[in-house]
């Protein structure tokens, strides 16, 4: 892949990841701001089932936030990769950064941009599943 096409693809993917980080955070924050109102409306009639549902919703929210932070880190790595002239140099830099941070051992061969994007897409799917859990259980808990 030519330098400009590689940089454009990595940069566009990083920008898309930033959006994927922002929207779940905003929706979770909005739901958490509405939670005290819903909780006060339930009052002393709150059941153990509704308390358990809110706990599961909180776990889903925390999982979503954790995945969002991992995706944010990946977005920054893709921006770093896009700052290099070619794919091999960008990939080698990312591998070096991850090895220096002791997050991953130095690989024998540098992975391509498409392979790295596929791994991040799997992480996006996990984030969306955690958010779906949060949203579904929050709706159920709101009506218990």
């Amino acid at each position: 892949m030519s330098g400009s096409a590689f940089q454009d693809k990595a940069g566009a993917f990083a920008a898309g990841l930033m959006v994927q980080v922002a929207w779940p955070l905003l929706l979770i924050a909005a739901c958490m701001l509405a939670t005290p109102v819903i909780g006060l409306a339930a009052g002393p009639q709150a059941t153990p089932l509704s308390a358990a549902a809110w706990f599961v919703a909180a776990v889903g929210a925390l999982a979503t936030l954790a995945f969002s932070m991992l995706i944010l880190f990946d977005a920054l790595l893709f921006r770093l990769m896009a700052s290099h002239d070619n794919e091999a140099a960008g990939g080698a830099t990312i591998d070096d950064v991850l090895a220096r941070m002791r997050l991953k051992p130095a690989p024998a061969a540098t992975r391509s941009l498409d392979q790295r994007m596929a791994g991040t897409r799997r992480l996006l799917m996990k984030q969306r599943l955690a958010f779906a859990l949060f949203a579904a259980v929050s709706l159920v808990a709101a009506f218990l």
Side-chain angles (χ1 to χ4, degrees):
M1 186 180 306
S2 71
S4 179
F6 149 74
Q7 290 171 332
D8 292 343
K9 186 175 181 180
F13 190 68
L17 289 177
M18 297 301 278
V19 171
Q20 294 301 318
V21 167
W23 70 264
L25 296 177
L26 294 174
L27 289 175
I28 288 172
C31 288
M32 289 298 137
L33 288 174
T35 299
V37 174
I38 294 169
L40 290 174
Q45 300 92 340
T47 64
L49 183 60
S50 66
W54 284 116
F55 177 76
V56 173
V59 169
L62 288 175
T64 303
L65 296 175
F67 286 127
S68 293
M69 293 306 104
L70 291 172
I71 292 167
L72 176 63
F73 183 67
D74 277 3
L76 296 174
L77 289 175
F78 279 108
R79 283 193 177 178
L80 176 64
M81 192 174 189
S83 70
H84 288 76
D85 292 333
N86 59 34
E87 186 174 348
T93 300
I94 288 178
D95 290 338
D96 181 54
V97 167
L98 293 174
R100 286 177 186 236
M101 293 177 75
R102 296 182 183 176
L103 295 175
K104 279 189 167 182
T110 302
R111 293 185 306 150
S112 70
L113 177 63
D114 291 331
Q115 290 172 328
R116 292 175 192 275
M117 289 170 65
T120 301
R121 285 189 183 109
R122 286 189 295 274
L123 192 58
L124 279 167
M125 185 55 63
K126 291 176 185 177
Q127 178 207 34
R128 290 174 184 157
L129 288 172
F131 183 77
L133 171 75
F134 163 74
V137 175
S138 292
L139 285 175
V140 168
F143 293 108
L144 284 179

